[in-house]
Amino acid sequence: MKKKFIISWIVLGAILVVSYYLLGGFTKVKLDLIQEPAFEIVGKMYHGTPYDKTMDSLVNAIHAQYEQGIIEGTFSICFFENPDEVDTLDILIGIIPENPIAILPEGFTKKSFKASAAIKASIEAEAVVAPSATETNNKIRSFAEKKALTISGVYIEKYVEDFRIVTVVPVVKTGNSNQKQI
């Protein structure tokens, strides 16, 4: 009886480890310095506290419009400050369009970004087992310090696929004397 109990726990443990692996649980955050051309995000602004029902409703509404194909592109959320360091968020929930948008959907706004370089953090894992946004942002800050870069303060999360999230953070290169935009 005791042997069956131990074997059952070993089998259950193996199933959990394999499931965790298949969902991408052992995936590391991949960091790169990329050349980032200008792009824009079309969506709706949110100003308020994190994890608020209003924010959740807005994310769900914009994501539903994205799934309906109202605007073709990549579902994204743009944080105008490091979300780990503020109590009140200023974010733009929307879509990075594949093609320029001539007429915005009702209630939408458009923000343009131009940076010649950015830190790109890629995560390929199911959201349930992926590294947290806080962990990813800490890795981005550490990467920036090692490369003598200053983060601009804008964090753009691109939800590329179900198992792939890319965070892009425009940077400023720091030298011994002056700071200059790269």
Side-chain angles (χ1 to χ4, degrees), residues 65-78:
Q65 290 178 327
Y66 162 74
E67 287 181 333
Q68 293 169 1
I70 291 175
I71 298 174
E72 302 248 338
T74 305
F75 182 74
S76 303
I77 300 176
C78 177

Side-chain angles (χ1 to χ4, degrees), residues 4 29 91:
K4 288 182 182 179
V29 176
I91 61 177

Side-chain angles (χ1 to χ4, degrees), residues 6-132:
I6 291 172
I7 291 171
S8 296
W9 277 106
I10 290 171
V11 169
L12 178 63
I15 290 170
L16 290 174
V17 169
V18 168
S19 297
Y20 186 75
Y21 171 76
L22 292 174
L23 292 172
F26 297 109
T27 302
K28 303 267 188 230
V29 176
K30 296 175 189 166
L31 295 162
D32 295 301
L33 184 61
I34 61 168
Q35 300 306 309
E36 183 66 36
F39 65 94
E40 62 188 23
I41 298 178
V42 176
K44 293 186 179 182
M45 291 294 298
Y46 169 78
H47 176 79
T49 58
Y51 311 111
D52 184 84
K53 289 180 182 179
T54 305
M55 183 179 89
D56 291 342
S57 297
L58 186 56
V59 168
N60 292 334
I62 300 292
H63 194 266
Q65 290 178 327
Y66 162 74
E67 287 181 333
Q68 293 169 1
I70 291 175
I71 298 174
E72 302 248 338
T74 305
F75 182 74
S76 303
I77 300 176
C78 177
F79 298 85
F80 292 99
E81 300 171 88
N82 182 347
D84 301 324
E85 297 175 351
V86 294
D87 295 331
T88 303
L89 295 174
D90 282 313
I91 61 177
L92 177 60
I93 302 161
I95 299 160
I96 297 175
E98 289 177 6
N99 301 307
I101 304 295
I103 300 173
L104 294 175
E106 187 176 331
F108 277 54
T109 188
K110 178 172 37 174
K111 295 279 186 184
S112 297
F113 299 92
K114 183 178 180 183
S116 58
I119 296 172
K120 175 179 144 185
S122 300
I123 304 167
E124 294 191 27
E126 178 63 38
V128 174
V129 297
S132 69

Side-chain angles (χ1 to χ4, degrees), residues 31 119 136-149 151:
L31 295 162
I119 296 172
T136 302
N137 292 343
N138 288 340
K139 289 182 184 286
I140 290 169
R141 283 192 295 280
S142 177
F143 182 85
E145 288 174 15
K146 288 177 186 172
K147 301 282 187 184
L149 302 167
I151 293 172

